[in-house]
Amino acid sequence: MSGFRTMFANPGFNISEGFFPNINLQEKLNWAEEFIQNVLIPRLPEGFAAHFPVELGTMLVMFACAGIFVAVVPLLPLVLVLAERKVAARFQNRTGPMRVGPWGTLQTLADGVKLIFKEDFIPPQGDRFLFLLAPYVIFACSFAVFAAIPFSQNILVSDFNIGIFYIMAISSVIVMGVIMAGWSSNSKWSLLGSLRSAAQIVSYEIPLGLSILTVVMLVESLSMSEIVASQSNGVFSWLIFRSPFTFIAFFIFFISAIAEVNRTPFDLPEAESEIVAGFHTEYSGMRFALFFIAEYANMFAVSAIAVTLFLGGWEGALPGYDILGGMPGFVIKTLALVFLMMWLRWTLPRLRVDQLMNLCWKYFIPIAFFNILGTGVWGLIFPEDTLVSIIISCAIIYTGLIVAYTIAGRVMAQKPAPQPS
Amino acid sequence: MENTRQTESKIIELKPFADEMVVNMGPQHPSTHGVLRLELRLDGEVVREAIPHIGYLHRCFEKHSENLSYPQIIPFTDRMDYVAAMNQNWGFCLAVEKLMEADESKNFQVPERAEYLRVLICELNRIASHLLSFGTYGMDIGAFTPFLYAFRDRERLLLLFEKICGARLTYNYIRIGGVSEIIPMEPGSIDEQNYLDEIEAFLDYFEPKIDEYNELLTKNSIFTQRTTGVAVMSADMALSYGATGPNLRGSGVDWDLRRDEPYSIYDRFEFDVPVAVDVPELGAVVGDCWSRYKIRMDEMKQSARIVRQILAEGLPDGPVMADLKAVRPPKGEIYFRSEAPRGELGFYIVSDGTPKPVRVKGRSPCFSALSALQELSHGLMVADIIAIIGSIDIVMGEVDR
């Protein structure tokens, strides 16, 4: 690691490689092959084992794992919807769903079944093709993001060398689906919601991308697995603590991510009290369910990305302690961020459109640019991550937090921006 | 008939400019507080004009009243402002009683015990009404949780009302000449003591909660950003539109009928009338949405104070109903106004000496406040419209009657 300078000296990393993942297939299949060689073959009959097609077996094991993955990831929203309802209920002195299954655990399943049987209404005056297409665009994009998220050491669908870039690109396509849904519904509320959403997602993509850039500058790679690998030395090697600028970047990333997935206080595109249900007002039945599932999948995805980029991914808090390949740790960290999102949602009111844009363009983007500059300087001063650099970084973060805490009262009581008229 | 319809439809034909979008907000909309319909002319998110259309909950209260005897009208007043029905009962009964007092031969007077019960219940009802206003306003601004907190507390009040009159929403409790005795509560009995203890327990629980809600919502920086400085209604404007109650006091006019024109026994209690002031550290100016909202939060405390004074004094002995053979006011007319949670509730009654009124007219505070919406909303954004509707706290049942 010779600092970020090499990145500028060799700008020639080949983007097109991203379309042909540069992974060494054999290397990636090692664990499956080892499983067959060491566990399976010794148990087979003598003659059969000698002729066992190892390559084919390896492929089959991989397919089986992929099958489990593909089956499990869509179930995440089901769990998250229930979790959201339970969390909200606890915040509000209620119990939440209690009837279907023990403690209401099967409620989402029942809701899903109900939605499947509901009438699939298509507005007769709307644009039928786009109306039908929109939920699939959103659904597909939400789940395509999971392909590049390393759940653990071994569970990573595709290790692109431009992983984070791919995630940014794919998640931007969601806004197309939202606009399609809003336009084709032939409803003014849907249109308002989708245009709000377009403005919001396009705006917040900028601070989001810029804060990712600080991480990329420090790691010198866009690959998700390399970003995780660079945080393998315990909690203080996590990128959030690596420099004071990544610490700020984490918060900008997380807040922008909440805006990206349209959750309170940034849930303007589907602000119930203002524009009914926003872009999915006219959708019913399973198509509505697709939007709903996509929303919760998104929520998990952005949390997982935040964990991967800033909170060590599947790496444990202590170096070398990756229980079960790091998956439980990863999921716990992600769910903690998801819980934080839910907490915010059930506590805060909603911003207005102009305030939302002010926050993005007047505060987040300048701070994000400042972060990039700062990360550059940091990279010049500390080309390598040493004990000294981490101690200095943590000291600055600690001082910054104390200063922020003392002036927080005054910031909270800040005079709001003047009204537009 | 067909022709008239056609000409009418030509008159209301919409002619939007090229860059304008006409949107119907309501009558089915999550936050128009019932069935208000707003015709919004939007330029993007900016509202060029918001024209309220009312009448979706019109139930001919005034016409019905002409065919009913006075006691039969009281349940109809329940359906006006259904979240503060006690106060509506009271407003109507006060007007009829005033009319009956004019007939000196009857020597009509409301018993002391009934007056205390009326103030007690109506102030609790005011708290319930303001709680609902607080909760739904939070939800309008996007915070869902305060809504459920408000309903949790309101539920305890509704149980108290249920215990005294058997109904949770449309009480028909306050009658002409006293209060209903449908659930008897002997003076000085253990029932009465238990009931008053329950009210006290509620107040002990509720008063600290107001501060908690202020921390949760009133001082929340997103909430203040959304509401402070939005839709400023000056004192002149409030007066000229006839805004009353919290809306008027939110514009800085120090006026409360309970203090300035005391009816019933309000002159015996000590309470402050909250009036809006500028709060520079939150950015609030007199007359904005936040001020109107804050008045209600403060009024809940004052209502609790009045109730506490009654609890300290205890209810007087005696009957709860005046000795009335029949409700037959003398010939004449009366306009009487009282301070309902949403402002001055007036009833104009013309009597010809028969048991049925010739004319009843309700002066609805919500209707007057709603008429200011069009001017207030000019040039603001869609989200602000919601903030204004919530802050003037309308109940469509009362607007349309």
Side-chain angles (χ1 to χ4, degrees):
Chain A
M1 269 176 76
S2 52
F4 73 109
R5 276 162 292 184
T6 43
M7 221 172 92
F8 291 109
N10 300 310
F13 55 72
N14 191 355
I15 299 273
S16 67
E17 277 175 25
F19 299 106
F20 306 99
N22 68 338
I23 50 167
N24 181 345
L25 190 69
Q26 199 54 48
E27 194 180 301
K28 285 286 154 189
L29 298 186
N30 266 348
W31 65 272
E33 199 181 325
E34 272 167 27
F35 170 76
I36 287 170
Q37 296 278 19
N38 301 338
V39 183
L40 196 64
I41 290 182
R43 280 146 214 251
L44 290 173
E46 191 85 4
F48 193 59
H51 300 288
F52 190 80
V54 176
E55 283 79 15
L56 185 65
T58 312
M59 291 285 274
L60 286 177
V61 171
M62 288 301 286
F63 273 125
C65 290
I68 293 168
F69 187 75
V70 168
V72 165
V73 168
L75 287 179
L76 270 174
L78 289 185
V79 179
L80 288 180
V81 170
L82 184 76
E84 167 109 67
R85 294 180 67 174
K86 284 288 186 187
V87 167
R90 287 297 160 193
F91 278 126
Q92 296 164 349
N93 280 12
R94 299 185 285 125
T95 53
M98 290 296 275
R99 295 302 177 94
V100 190
W103 300 286
T105 40
L106 300 177
Q107 181 66 48
T108 21
L109 219 56
D111 287 344
V113 171
K114 181 202 75 174
L115 284 170
I116 289 171
F117 286 113
K118 281 188 94 168
E119 185 195 350
D120 180 22
F121 177 75
I122 300 167
Q125 266 105 43
D127 188 323
R128 192 186 157 85
F129 175 69
L130 288 183
F131 188 83
L132 298 183
L133 186 61
Y136 299 116
V137 170
I138 294 176
F139 187 78
C141 292
S142 305
F143 281 95
V145 168
F146 283 94
I149 296 174
F151 279 80
S152 81
Q153 231 155 346
N154 301 318
I155 303 176
L156 168 56
V157 175
S158 181
D159 186 16
F160 300 116
N161 64 345
I162 53 161
I164 189 64
F165 186 76
Y166 158 84
I167 288 174
M168 286 290 290
I170 280 287
S171 58
S172 305
V173 180
I174 291 176
V175 73
M176 291 302 296
V178 170
I179 293 178
M180 277 156 72
W183 173 255
S184 62
S185 295
N186 191 35
S187 156
K188 285 162 183 172
W189 297 120
S190 302
L191 188 63
L192 267 180
S194 68
L195 289 181
R196 278 182 175 191
S197 184
Q200 180 177 330
I201 295 182
V202 168
S203 300
Y204 276 87
E205 204 105 289
I206 299 167
L208 198 78
L210 292 177
S211 26
I212 289 173
L213 205 54
T214 56
V215 170
V216 173
M217 283 170 82
L218 283 182
V219 181
E220 295 169 44
S221 169
L222 290 163
S223 154
M224 293 296 263
S225 60
E226 277 181 42
I227 289 173
V228 177
S230 78
Q231 312 179 60
S232 57
N233 291 324
V235 63
F236 287 107
S237 72
W238 291 0
L239 275 159
I240 185 172
F241 297 121
R242 200 79 77 71
S243 89
F245 302 103
T246 44
F247 187 77
I248 302 171
F250 168 71
F251 287 98
I252 292 185
F253 178 88
F254 190 62
I255 297 171
S256 306
I258 295 175
E260 281 272 306
V261 298
N262 299 336
R263 285 179 68 82
T264 316
F266 309 109
D267 63 340
L268 293 100
E270 44 206 75
E272 192 205 342
S273 62
E274 292 161 23
I275 50 173
V276 193
F279 56 86
H280 56 64
T281 306
E282 301 291 333
Y283 282 88
S284 63
M286 209 50 214
R287 284 179 216 287
F288 168 74
L290 287 184
F291 282 120
F292 210 66
I293 292 170
E295 189 186 322
Y296 282 88
N298 267 336
M299 200 168 112
F300 190 85
V302 291
S303 302
I305 296 164
V307 167
T308 311
L309 292 182
F310 295 98
L311 301 177
W314 47 262
E315 296 281 359
L318 295 170
Y321 282 85
D322 311 321
I323 306 144
L324 297 174
M327 180 109 170
F330 178 83
V331 171
I332 287 170
K333 280 187 263 185
T334 308
L335 288 182
L337 288 188
V338 169
F339 175 75
L340 189 61
M341 281 184 169
M342 291 178 180
W343 187 356
L344 291 175
R345 172 166 181 188
W346 298 108
T347 309
L348 294 177
R350 182 186 306 121
L351 285 167
R352 203 172 54 209
V353 165
D354 56 323
Q355 290 161 350
L356 184 86
M357 291 296 155
N358 275 351
L359 188 67
C360 179
W361 292 94
K362 289 190 183 165
Y363 297 97
F364 282 2
I365 292 180
I367 294 172
F369 272 117
F370 169 76
N371 258 340
I372 289 177
L373 194 70
T375 312
V377 174
W378 188 268
L380 277 177
I381 301 171
F382 303 106
E384 308 255 341
D385 290 311
T386 58
L387 192 63
V388 180
S389 80
I390 286 173
I391 288 173
I392 292 174
S393 160
C394 289
I396 294 174
I397 290 170
Y398 184 67
T399 335
L401 280 180
I402 289 174
V403 172
Y405 182 75
T406 46
I407 62 169
R410 265 190 284 170
V411 174
M412 290 296 276
Q414 200 178 32
K415 205 169 168 10
Q419 290 303 302
S421 53
Chain B
M1 192 64 196
E2 203 54 43
N3 278 335
T4 0
R5 252 188 221 155
Q6 275 177 1
T7 40
E8 271 175 7
S9 72
K10 266 176 198 163
I11 293 165
I12 60 162
E13 193 185 339
L14 304 166
K15 285 180 188 141
F17 293 114
D19 55 348
E20 256 183 9
M21 181 160 80
V22 178
V23 183
N24 246 335
M25 184 184 260
Q28 283 101 18
H29 187 275
S31 49
T32 49
H33 291 231
V35 286
L36 172 65
R37 181 182 145 219
L38 289 173
E39 184 188 317
L40 300 181
R41 287 165 175 272
L42 300 181
D43 178 11
E45 282 271 341
V46 179
V47 177
R48 288 240 175 105
E49 202 172 12
I51 307 161
H53 292 275
I54 58 168
Y56 289 90
L57 205 55
H58 182 58
R59 288 147 304 170
C60 304
F61 160 71
E62 289 165 8
K63 193 65 191 167
H64 267 302
S65 306
E66 291 168 17
N67 297 305
L68 296 167
S69 69
Y70 289 97
Q72 283 175 325
I73 297 172
I74 300 173
F76 281 75
T77 62
D78 276 332
R79 274 89 183 159
M80 286 175 63
D81 182 353
Y82 40 77
V83 294
M86 291 283 187
N87 287 275
Q88 310 286 308
N89 292 168
W90 201 16
F92 179 73
C93 293
L94 278 167
V96 179
E97 283 159 10
K98 196 84 182 165
L99 195 57
M100 285 164 72
E101 278 168 24
D103 186 5
E104 284 172 5
S105 63
K106 295 273 171 60
N107 192 21
F108 168 81
Q109 210 186 354
V110 179
E112 192 84 331
R113 185 177 166 80
E115 294 280 25
Y116 271 84
L117 276 168
R118 284 176 172 191
V119 174
L120 178 75
I121 291 300
C122 286
E123 288 306 320
L124 288 177
N125 197 209
R126 189 184 306 274
I127 293 177
S129 165
H130 284 344
L131 264 178
L132 188 125
S133 163
F134 150 76
T136 50
Y137 197 44
M139 200 155 77
D140 290 347
I141 301 294
F144 193 79
T145 303
F147 175 74
L148 283 138
Y149 288 170
F151 268 64
R152 174 191 63 192
D153 297 347
R154 183 168 171 266
E155 181 62 29
R156 289 185 66 164
L157 281 169
L158 295 189
L159 289 176
L160 285 171
F161 297 147
E162 194 179 354
K163 274 192 179 161
I164 206 164
C165 68
R168 288 164 54 85
L169 200 67
T170 50
Y171 309 108
N172 192 17
Y173 175 62
I174 292 171
R175 304 283 172 84
I176 297 159
V179 297
S180 154
E181 256 188 317
I182 194 152
I183 296 173
M185 199 164 72
E186 294 296 321
S189 67
I190 191 79
D191 287 346
E192 182 190 300
Q193 198 49 49
N194 283 345
Y195 190 68
L196 296 185
D197 286 349
E198 253 175 78
I199 293 176
E200 190 157 18
F202 169 76
L203 290 182
D204 289 342
Y205 155 84
F206 178 65
E207 277 173 326
K209 288 279 178 202
I210 301 177
D211 298 327
E212 199 177 291
Y213 300 152
N214 280 336
E215 289 296 322
L216 177 66
L217 193 64
T218 316
K219 292 175 190 165
N220 183 300
S221 84
I222 295 177
F223 182 77
T224 52
Q225 276 191 47
R226 280 292 305 279
T227 52
T228 56
V230 173
V232 177
M233 179 151 62
S234 66
D236 284 344
M237 187 182 163
L239 287 171
S240 65
Y241 273 105
T244 47
N247 296 328
L248 183 67
R249 294 191 279 278
S251 296
V253 181
D254 193 0
W255 178 254
D256 188 323
L257 286 176
R258 290 175 296 168
R259 184 199 60 195
D260 299 317
E261 219 174 68
Y263 52 94
S264 185
I265 50 166
Y266 272 117
D267 45 359
R268 299 185 202 174
F269 302 113
E270 265 180 37
F271 60 96
D272 298 327
V273 176
V275 178
V277 285
D278 287 336
V279 187
E281 66 266 25
L282 296 177
V285 291
V286 171
D288 60 6
C289 291
W290 190 86
S291 303
R292 288 192 283 275
Y293 156 87
K294 187 67 175 28
I295 294 290
R296 295 193 179 88
M297 298 304 281
D298 294 343
E299 271 187 18
M300 285 199 281
K301 280 186 180 169
Q302 297 304 323
S303 292
R305 211 172 133 195
I306 295 174
V307 174
R308 279 214 188 270
Q309 288 173 47
I310 295 177
L311 293 178
E313 254 179 77
L315 296 176
D317 290 347
V320 293
M321 197 70 186
D323 192 16
L324 273 177
K325 296 285 177 290
V327 182
R328 191 190 282 262
K331 201 173 173 189
E333 57 183 7
I334 185 85
Y335 176 77
F336 194 84
R337 52 185 185 171
S338 62
E339 185 79 24
R342 285 175 179 72
E344 284 181 26
L345 174 74
F347 280 100
Y348 173 67
I349 299 170
V350 182
S351 160
D352 59 353
T354 59
K356 293 177 183 174
V358 174
R359 174 88 171 94
V360 172
K361 161 92 178 85
R363 187 256 180 220
S364 156
C366 295
F367 178 77
S368 306
L370 183 61
S371 60
L373 177 69
Q374 200 166 349
E375 191 179 328
L376 283 177
S377 59
H378 187 75
L380 297 179
M381 305 185 104
V382 178
D384 292 328
I385 299 286
I386 305 298
I388 299 170
I389 296 175
S391 78
I392 58 177
D393 189 21
I394 50 165
V395 168
M396 289 315 287
E398 197 189 47
V399 174
D400 293 339
R401 296 190 293 286

